[in-house]
Amino acid sequence: IALVGKAAGNAFFEIAAKSFQETVEAEGGEVQVVYPETATADAQIKVLDNLISQDFDAICISANDVNALQAKLEEAMDEGIKVSSFDSAPNKDSREIFVNQAGTKEVAQALMDAVLDISGGEGQFAILSATSQSANQNAWIDAMKTIMEGDDKYSKLETCRTLVYGDDEPQKSTDQTAALLQNYKDLKVICAPTTVGIAAAAKYLQDNESACKLTGLGLPSEMQEYTGDDDAHSCPYFYLWDMEGLGKLSAYATMALVKGDITGAEDETFTAGDMGEFTITKADDEGTEIVLGEPLQFTPDNVADYAKLY
């Protein structure tokens, strides 16, 4: 199995990849983890082109673009290579199954409620995303907008139009955070649904003693020193999910495709080792997915314990 990441240096992906690899190897399989040169669709297409010419049974990918990989992934499937995805899905025609770390609406709801809470229910907030084409980022942000528009309790928050991209690069994410503070003097909250972006923003806000606070999706080990409910810390609380579990479930799902236990069709079930039985459901894009579970909240009370793991 070839496991294709968005780009090297993403600690979240590396934790999931390690779990994926260990799970497959425990079942007698082999995994080659491959990173594109940059976090772009073009770079992933080059990786896929190379992989298709080799003798892989499956490719599992975290997509940098929802649509741009379709031709290459369809070519892989035409060659008899099973295609699964996790973390960030290519479109429904580019995969046989997507393993979703948490439901899109559940993640968006958690993030919107955090923004509402931390802002005191009103004022400006901004979103620091990864790349403009990142499927999971865009899905969460679109769902956040829908949630805002559908409930009056968010009416005093200024909309998500203040959206910037750090391209999952620490320096660019830092620069975008600085620009947000410069351009929006009354900014209350930054929401960064990206582990790279939230860590960069947390450090910048805290180092500069900014009154602007932060939430989003992050790794406890990278966010521990910034997590606190006082003026000295930039992030009151944040979210993520079970990264090892995501890698493990993705491995079992990919192996089930290879073995022919599943085809990726809606309502199929399979057993993911000691994780138990999972059912394939319809995804928001009309393709199919397997949902790992609910997002986890990391607070000053539990972040140190989770930091030992992730």
Side-chain angles (χ1 to χ4, degrees), residues 126-129 138 141 145 160-165 180:
I127 294 177
L128 170 62
S129 185
N138 289 341
I141 292 164
K145 292 177 182 177
C160 294
R161 65 177 176 271
T162 308
L163 172 60
V164 297
Y165 301 98
L180 283 172

Side-chain angles (χ1 to χ4, degrees), residues 7-285:
N10 186 317
F12 160 72
F13 181 85
E14 289 168 2
I15 291 166
K18 183 174 184 288
S19 178
F20 186 105
Q21 190 163 10
E22 289 173 349
T23 302
V24 172
E25 289 174 352
E27 297 290 322
E30 297 179 13
V31 176
Q32 182 176 325
V33 182
V34 188
Y35 296 104
E37 291 184 358
T38 58
T40 64
D42 286 345
Q44 281 191 323
I45 287 169
K46 290 179 182 177
V47 167
L48 291 170
D49 203 34
N50 183 48
L51 293 174
I52 291 168
S53 68
Q54 301 179 51
D55 191 26
F56 284 96
D57 294 299
I59 294 171
C60 182
I61 188 166
S62 178
N64 278 327
D65 187 290
V66 67
N67 294 315
L69 307 177
Q70 182 171 336
K72 275 296 161 197
L73 291 173
E74 285 185 332
E75 181 182 338
M77 289 186 282
D78 288 343
E79 292 290 326
I81 300 170
K82 302 299 182 183
V83 175
S84 62
S85 59
F86 80 112
D87 176 47
S88 183
N91 68 33
K92 65 183 179 66
D93 297 318
S94 304
R95 68 181 197 260
E96 288 164 283
I97 194 66
F98 171 53
V99 182
N100 196 344
Q101 53 267 49
T104 299
K105 294 181 179 66
E106 289 80 3
V107 172
Q109 189 69 62
L111 295 177
M112 274 312 312
D113 286 345
V115 169
L116 186 71
D117 175 39
I118 294 168
S119 67
E122 60 184 356
Q124 294 180 342
F125 81 99
I127 294 177
L128 170 62
S129 185
T131 68
S132 61
Q133 298 302 316
S134 180
N136 55 350
Q137 301 280 313
N138 289 341
W140 295 325
I141 292 164
D142 286 345
M144 289 173 72
K145 292 177 182 177
T146 300
I147 290 166
M148 276 189 72
E149 292 165 0
D151 195 322
D152 286 343
K153 74 179 181 180
Y154 305 106
S155 62
K156 292 183 180 179
L157 289 173
E158 294 196 19
T159 68
C160 294
R161 65 177 176 271
T162 308
L163 172 60
V164 297
Y165 301 98
D167 290 346
D168 262 355
E169 297 174 5
Q171 188 56 56
K172 185 169 183 181
S173 298
T174 300
D175 294 344
Q176 292 283 21
T177 302
L180 283 172
L181 296 179
Q182 179 66 32
N183 295 332
Y184 301 92
K185 301 297 187 184
D186 297 323
L187 188 64
K188 282 191 171 183
V189 181
I190 295 173
C191 179
T194 152
T195 58
V196 176
I198 195 173
K203 185 178 190 315
Y204 185 86
L205 292 173
Q206 195 154 304
D207 287 352
N208 289 275
E209 299 181 350
S210 175
C212 180
K213 294 298 183 181
L214 177 71
T215 192
L217 304 175
L219 285 165
S221 58
E222 295 181 346
M223 291 295 294
Q224 183 178 356
E225 66 182 294
Y226 309 114
T227 304
D229 53 8
D230 55 18
D231 291 340
H233 295 85
S234 55
C235 181
Y237 57 88
F238 62 102
Y239 296 87
L240 204 62
W241 33 80
D242 178 1
M243 289 78 74
E244 289 183 338
L246 179 59
K248 189 174 181 179
L249 180 57
S250 301
Y252 279 119
T254 305
M255 288 189 289
L257 280 174
V258 172
K259 294 174 183 176
D261 294 340
I262 59 171
T263 65
E266 188 177 356
D267 295 328
E268 288 181 332
T269 62
F270 72 103
T271 301
D274 59 4
M275 299 179 77
E277 189 172 84
F278 285 81
T279 300
I280 298 173
T281 58
K282 184 176 286 188
D284 291 341
D285 66 357

